[in-house]
C-alpha cells in the first residue's frame, strides 16, 4: 500500500470521525480501507471450527498494547480482587485446550468519578509435576505453552461470546506469577454490566500445531479459585484508576452536550459491533469500542471578520488514534482471519475549528 493511498484512507477515516460515526459512514471507510466494494457475505457457519493463527493473534495483541494511552500521572491502586468466595473455578480439559473459568465480583469495586487506566490478571503457575508430562518425547523440543485470556459475555438466552484480551507464551518448566493485561476486559464489563460479576476464561494451548505440543501444554497448571485448591497464590485481578476530579481528560463533556448551547467537548459514543448486523460475523475482535464524538457549540467570530472570509466555527476532531481489529476475509472458498490497525477511529481531542 503506497503512501498516497494510506493518506487518502486516513482522511476518509477522519471524515468518518467528524460525521459522528454513522453506520453507513463507518461501513464506507472499512470497505475503502480493505479495498472492497461490498461487505463480504459471511454467516455464522463461517465461524465454525475457525482457528485464529498464532501470528495473527500476536499481531493483534501487540497492536492493543501499543494503543495504551499515556497518562499525566501515575494511577492509584483501586483494589485487588481474588474472586467470589465459593466459586468453583473449574478447569475444563479437551484434546487440544485446557480452559480455566474465573469469576470476579466487580460491583462497587471501582470508585465513583474515576476511570480505569489499567487492570492486570495475575495467575500463579504451579511448579511442574513431571508426572503430567507426556511419556513420548518429540524430536522437536517444546519449551512453552500459549496462555490466552478471554472476556466472556453471557447472553440472556444462555449463549456466551468471548473476546480475546491478551495472549503470551509461558515457559512450561518455570513457576511463579504470570501477569496479563486485562484492561480491555474491565472496560467491556463497565460498558455491558448488568449487576453481574466479570467472567474471564484462560486458555492453555500448545505453542505450535501438533499433538505433542498440546500434551506438553497440559502440564501447565495455574492455581484456581476453587477453595479446595490449597496451592499458594489464588488468581488476582488488580485494578488501577485515576480520579477524574484531578486527572480527567481535558475537554471531556461532563453532561449531555447540546449543540449551540454548550461548549465544544468530547462526548462518549460507544459502537457495539455485536449489535450491527453487517459486522457481527465480519469483525472478530473487538466486540465494540468507545469511539467518542465531538459535541457542543463554539463562539462565532464577529460579523466584520466574516466579510473577510472567516467562516463559522464548529466543534470538530483535532486529534484521533487508531483502532486494532481482527476480521474475516473470503478467498475463494476459504475463510481466513486478518488483523489490521484502522487509523483515526477514536476521538482523542475536540476543538473549535473555523470553516475554510
Amino acid at each position: 500500500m503506497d503512501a498516497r493511498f494510506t493518506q487518502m484512507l486516513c482522511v476518509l477515516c477522519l471524515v468518518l470521525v467528524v460525521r459522528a460515526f454513522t453506520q453507513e459512514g463507518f461501513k464506507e471507510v472499512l470497505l475503502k480501507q480493505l479495498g472492497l466494494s461490498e461487505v463480504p457475505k459471511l454467516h455464522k457457519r463461517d465461524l465454525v471450527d475457525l482457528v485464529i493463527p498464532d501470528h495473527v493473534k500476536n499481531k493483534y495483541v501487540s497492536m492493543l498494547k501499543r494503543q495504551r494511552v499515556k497518562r499525566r500521572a501515575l494511577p492509584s491502586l483501586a483494589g485487588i480482587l481474588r474472586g467470589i468466595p465459593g466459586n468453583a473455578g473449574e478447569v475444563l480439559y479437551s484434546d487440544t485446550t485446557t480452559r480455566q473459568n474465573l469469576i470476579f465480583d466487580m460491583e462497587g469495586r471501582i470508585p465513583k468519578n474515576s476511570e480505569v487506566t489499567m487492570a492486570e490478571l495475575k495467575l500463579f503457575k504451579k511448579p511442574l509435576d513431571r508426572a503430567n508430562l507426556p511419556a513420548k518425547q518429540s524430536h522437536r523440543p517444546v519449551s512453552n505453552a500459549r496462555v490466552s485470556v478471554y472476556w466472556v459475555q453471557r447472553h440472556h438466552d444462555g449463549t456466551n461470546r468471548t473476546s480475546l484480551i491478551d495472549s503470551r507464551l509461558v515457559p512450561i518448566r518455570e513457576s511463579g506469577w504470570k501477569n496479563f493485561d486485562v484492561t480491555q476486559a474491565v472496560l467491556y464489563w463497565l460498558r455491558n454490566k448488568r449487576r453481574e460479576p466479570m467472567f474471564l476464561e484462560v486458555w492453555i494451548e500448545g505453542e505450535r500445531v501438533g499433538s505433542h505440543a498440546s500434551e506438553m501444554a497440559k502440564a501447565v497448571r495455574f492455581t484456581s479459585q476453587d477453595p479446595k485448591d490449597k496451592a499458594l497464590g489464588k488468581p488476582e485481578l488488580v485494578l488501577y484508576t485515576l480520579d477524574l476530579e484531578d486527572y480527567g481528560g481535558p475537554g471531556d463533556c461532563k453532561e449531555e452536550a447540546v449543540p449551540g448551547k454548550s461548549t465544544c467537548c468530547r462526548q462518549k459514543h460507544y459502537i457495539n459491533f455485536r449489535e450491527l448486523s453487517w459486522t457481527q460475523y465480519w469483525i472478530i475482535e473487538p466486540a465494540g469500542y468507545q469511539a467518542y464524538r465531538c459535541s457542543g457549540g463554539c463562539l462565532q467570530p464577529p460579523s466584520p471578520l466574516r466579510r473577510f472570509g472567516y467562516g463559522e466555527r464548529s466543534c470538530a476532531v483535532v486529534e484521533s488514534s487508531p483502532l486494532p481489529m481482527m476480521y474475516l476475509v473470503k478467498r475463494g472458498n476459504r475463510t481466513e482471519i486478518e488483523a489490521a490497525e484502522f487509523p483515526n477511529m477514536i476521538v482523542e481531542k475536540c476543538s473549535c475549528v473555523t470553516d475554510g
Side-chain angles (χ1 to χ4, degrees), residues 267-305:
Q267 187 179 59
K268 288 185 177 180
H269 179 67
Y270 189 82
I271 294 179
N272 191 333
F273 292 141
R274 303 293 186 247
E275 292 180 355
L276 298 178
S277 59
W278 57 275
T279 62
Q280 58 181 331
Y281 302 130
W282 186 19
I283 298 177
I284 305 298
E285 302 290 350
Y289 78 107
Q290 188 65 255
Y292 295 101
R293 61 186 172 193
C294 295
S295 295
C298 299
L299 289 174
Q300 299 302 321
S303 298
L305 288 178

Side-chain angles (χ1 to χ4, degrees), residues 203-220:
W203 294 22
I204 306 170
E205 305 166 283
E207 67 172 321
R208 61 172 182 263
V209 176
S211 58
H212 180 65
S214 297
E215 290 301 315
M216 288 290 289
K218 288 183 179 180
V220 173

Side-chain angles (χ1 to χ4, degrees), residues 81-323:
L81 315 185
R82 293 186 173 86
I84 297 176
N87 169 45
E90 69 268 25
V91 179
L92 310 175
Y93 292 93
S94 66
D95 292 337
T96 58
T97 309
T98 301
R99 301 186 185 184
Q100 181 172 342
N101 294 330
L102 301 175
I103 305 177
F104 293 96
D105 182 9
M106 301 285 288
E107 196 68 31
R109 301 290 184 168
I110 299 172
K112 291 183 179 180
N113 199 34
S114 67
E115 179 181 332
V116 174
T117 60
M118 186 170 65
E120 285 186 320
L121 176 65
K122 299 181 65 176
L123 300 175
F124 187 82
K125 185 182 175 301
K126 299 179 182 180
L128 177 66
D129 184 351
R130 296 191 176 275
N132 294 327
L133 292 174
K136 182 181 177 181
Q137 296 297 316
S138 170
H139 64 282
R140 290 181 64 192
V142 176
S143 303
N144 304 300
R146 175 161 296 282
V147 180
S148 304
V149 180
Y150 292 80
W151 172 67
V152 182
Q153 183 179 12
R154 299 195 171 186
H155 298 297
H156 293 300
D157 61 3
T159 60
N160 294 339
R161 186 69 184 260
T162 60
S163 295
L164 176 65
I165 301 300
D166 198 3
S167 181
R168 56 173 291 197
L169 292 176
V170 171
I172 294 174
R173 289 175 171 80
E174 290 182 10
S175 63
W177 289 101
K178 308 298 177 184
N179 296 348
F180 299 85
D181 185 347
V182 294
T183 309
Q184 197 65 32
V186 175
L187 297 180
Y188 284 157
W189 179 87
L190 285 170
R191 173 67 192 178
N192 294 275
K193 67 177 180 176
R194 296 186 298 270
R195 294 186 177 273
E196 64 179 18
M198 187 173 77
F199 299 92
L200 298 177
E201 209 167 67
V202 179
W203 294 22
I204 306 170
E205 305 166 283
E207 67 172 321
R208 61 172 182 263
V209 176
S211 58
H212 180 65
S214 297
E215 290 301 315
M216 288 290 289
K218 288 183 179 180
V220 173
R221 304 288 175 87
F222 293 107
T223 304
S224 72
Q225 292 177 329
D226 192 338
K228 297 177 183 177
D229 191 343
K230 300 301 182 183
L232 296 175
K234 295 292 184 184
E236 295 181 354
L237 180 63
V238 185
L239 302 175
Y240 296 88
T241 62
L242 283 180
D243 186 342
L244 294 182
E245 289 292 331
D246 297 325
Y247 302 108
D252 282 2
C253 303
K254 294 184 179 180
E255 55 188 26
E256 193 73 15
V258 180
K261 293 185 178 180
S262 57
T263 306
C264 177
C265 58
R266 189 180 72 156
Q267 187 179 59
K268 288 185 177 180
H269 179 67
Y270 189 82
I271 294 179
N272 191 333
F273 292 141
R274 303 293 186 247
E275 292 180 355
L276 298 178
S277 59
W278 57 275
T279 62
Q280 58 181 331
Y281 302 130
W282 186 19
I283 298 177
I284 305 298
E285 302 290 350
Y289 78 107
Q290 188 65 255
Y292 295 101
R293 61 186 172 193
C294 295
S295 295
C298 299
L299 289 174
Q300 299 302 321
S303 298
L305 288 178
R306 297 189 188 185
R307 296 174 189 162
F308 293 98
Y310 263 80
E312 288 192 1
R313 301 175 75 228
S314 58
C315 187
V317 181
V318 294
E319 189 177 322
S320 61
S321 60
L323 175 71

